[in-house]
Amino acid sequence: MLFLGIDVLKDAFSGFGATISLQDYVMPGVAGWLTLVAIGTVLTVLMQASGAVIALIITAAQGGLMSVEAACAMVIGTNIGTTSTAILSAIGATSSARRLAAAHVMFNLVTGSVALLMLPLLIGLLGLLRTWFEQPATPAVMVAMFHTAFNLLGVLLMVALAAPMLRLLSRRFRSQEEEIARPRHLDPPSLTVPDLALHALRQELGRTQSFTTTALTAAARVPPDAPWIERQASTLDALAPEITAYIGKLSGATLPAALVEALAHSLRTLQYQESAVAAVRQAGSLGATLGAAPGAALDAAVATFRQAVAALAASADASRGEFSAAAVEVLLEEVEAHYQALKEALLLHGAHARIDIATMQDWLRLASLQRRATEQVAKAARMLAVLDGDLSPQQAAQANAVDDGNGHPES
């Protein structure tokens, strides 16, 4: 049907071409070319089929209704018109889809602008190529060759512009998750003032602590909020390399001993947060598989332990104004006491065959993961308190040693 339609158009335009020339209605010079580009763009937007518009252009040129130059200018317009589809599809789409649509628009706009500026030169070069390949000197061949050359030109331009265009697009159309996963306080200029840089680092670590505690809270729910856990964990995963790189740049300068020690505490804080999130991920996955507690007798022990974990997570959030390392220590002791009570209850139920051994081991594993995540969060809170000057490094080290003695050696 397509080729039959093209054949009909060709015959129709051939009749018109003998008496009418559209070129007579087009302004001369650049203004005329721009008008033809606009016509090609509008036709493509209306028809949503650039191939059909190009077929019209080729048959019109072949029928003598317009010159080769005018037809090529309209071909440029058809390529620009194809961007309307990308723009429409990007409405309400993800940030990656919007970047892809923007890249498509930039490709056609840049290529179209360059091709329009070079139009006489391109047509001349295509004439030489046509002679070399011994192709007939028909408008249809020239327009078809120009369309191919247009796309090749676009590829060459994009190879040269790919890096800056990628940098430009990566800063645009960010999703909320991507915005959250960007450092907010680690500005390169602050590196020139070590005290200011350390303050910025402390603020950023406060953000990562908030993501960590939020993930721990989600893991303590029944059932665990797996998507929320992964969102917080992924944000920390994205921020951790940025923070590490910032610390590396700062450590390259000549710093007083106190600042060097503070950088070590900062790295340790991040390490504790990453360890906590790793345990939270495992706990969330295992908790989703296990579901509710195995028996009414264990419900109270499981619920009490999870409430203690959630309470510590809320208290250890350094972004809250009432953040206190001392309060975290009190809650950590409660978590440990409830963990031991839950552990004893699970062992008794397993020993009396109230639950099977495999189920008992799975629940012990889950409680252990939640306990480890809680301890790592508490350790990170201690390091933040050290950075704030509310706790001495010796006090933090002693508290960490006590935690390690409870059965979770520091990794």
Side-chain angles (χ1 to χ4, degrees):
M1 292 298 293
L2 176 63
F3 292 106
L4 178 61
I6 292 175
D7 188 59
V8 172
L9 288 171
K10 177 181 178 182
D11 293 339
F13 284 154
S14 296
F16 283 113
T19 57
I20 299 175
S21 175
L22 295 180
Q23 196 69 27
D24 297 337
Y25 300 95
V26 178
M27 292 181 292
V30 176
W33 287 357
L34 291 175
T35 302
L36 291 166
V37 170
I39 293 172
T41 302
V42 172
L43 286 175
T44 305
V45 171
L46 293 176
M47 298 178 66
Q48 287 295 298
S50 61
V53 177
I54 290 175
L56 287 172
I57 295 170
I58 290 176
T59 52
Q62 188 69 20
L65 288 175
M66 64 177 67
S67 65
V68 172
E69 289 82 359
C72 291
M74 287 190 69
V75 167
I76 294 174
T78 63
N79 283 274
I80 295 175
T82 60
T83 61
S84 63
T85 304
I87 294 172
L88 291 174
S89 64
I91 297 175
T94 64
S95 57
S96 297
R98 283 180 286 164
R99 290 192 194 104
L100 183 61
H104 178 65
V105 172
M106 293 174 67
F107 172 88
N108 285 281
L109 288 178
V110 171
T111 308
S113 300
V114 174
L116 189 62
L117 292 173
M118 299 175 58
L119 187 57
L121 177 61
L122 286 174
I123 293 175
L125 291 175
L126 291 175
L128 292 176
L129 289 175
R130 179 191 56 76
T131 303
W132 291 342
F133 289 107
E134 299 181 353
Q135 294 297 314
T138 61
V141 172
M142 292 297 294
V143 174
M145 291 180 66
F146 178 81
H147 186 243
T148 302
F150 178 92
N151 288 285
L152 291 175
L153 175 64
V155 171
L156 294 175
L157 289 172
M158 288 304 106
V159 168
L161 299 175
M165 188 172 73
L166 182 61
R167 287 194 296 269
L168 174 65
L169 292 176
S170 65
R171 295 193 297 266
R172 299 291 186 272
F173 312 112
R174 292 183 182 273
S175 64
Q176 183 180 3
E177 290 79 7
E178 290 173 324
E179 285 293 337
I180 293 174
R182 293 180 60 218
R184 291 184 180 176
H185 308 286
L186 306 184
D187 297 321
S190 64
L191 290 168
T192 58
V193 184
D195 287 332
L196 182 61
L198 186 61
H199 177 70
L201 184 59
R202 166 60 183 85
Q203 289 181 301
E204 203 65 48
L205 288 171
R207 289 186 68 219
T208 54
Q209 181 73 355
S210 180
F211 298 136
T212 306
T213 56
T214 303
L216 180 58
T217 302
R221 294 173 186 155
V222 182
D225 191 343
W228 191 246
I229 292 173
E230 188 55 35
R231 180 177 179 181
Q232 304 302 310
S234 298
T235 302
L236 179 62
D237 290 343
L239 282 171
E242 300 282 350
I243 295 174
T244 302
Y246 187 85
I247 293 175
K249 293 177 183 178
L250 184 57
S251 63
T254 303
L255 301 174
L259 289 182
V260 173
E261 187 177 8
L263 290 182
H265 295 327
S266 299
L267 281 172
R268 181 64 76 182
T269 302
L270 184 60
Q271 180 187 12
Y272 288 144
Q273 292 169 348
E274 291 180 302
S275 297
V277 164
V280 164
R281 273 180 163 145
Q282 297 179 58
S285 177
L286 182 57
T289 302
L290 294 178
L298 288 172
D299 282 347
V302 171
T304 303
F305 173 65
R306 284 175 167 168
Q307 289 170 3
V309 170
L312 183 140
S315 179
D317 186 351
S319 65
R320 300 176 59 174
E322 60 271 22
F323 169 70
S324 166
V328 173
E329 294 299 330
V330 172
L331 292 171
L332 182 61
E333 292 178 3
E334 293 182 10
V335 170
E336 181 63 25
H338 292 307
Y339 167 77
Q340 295 298 337
L342 175 58
K343 180 180 178 181
E344 183 179 356
L346 287 168
L347 292 172
L348 285 174
H349 276 65
H352 290 86
R354 296 171 188 166
I355 58 175
D356 60 83
I357 298 302
T359 300
M360 179 197 73
Q361 290 175 334
D362 286 340
W363 278 93
L364 285 172
R365 171 66 176 162
L366 175 59
S368 178
L369 286 170
Q370 291 175 329
R371 175 201 189 198
R372 172 165 176 75
T374 304
E375 289 179 347
Q376 297 299 305
V377 165
K379 288 180 178 181
R382 289 175 192 141
M383 288 295 101
L384 291 173
V386 171
L387 291 173
D388 292 338
D390 298 332
L391 196 68
S392 69
Q394 293 75 19
Q395 290 173 319
Q398 290 173 0
N400 288 344
V402 171
D403 289 345
D404 296 340
N406 286 332
H408 287 287
E410 182 179 345
S411 57

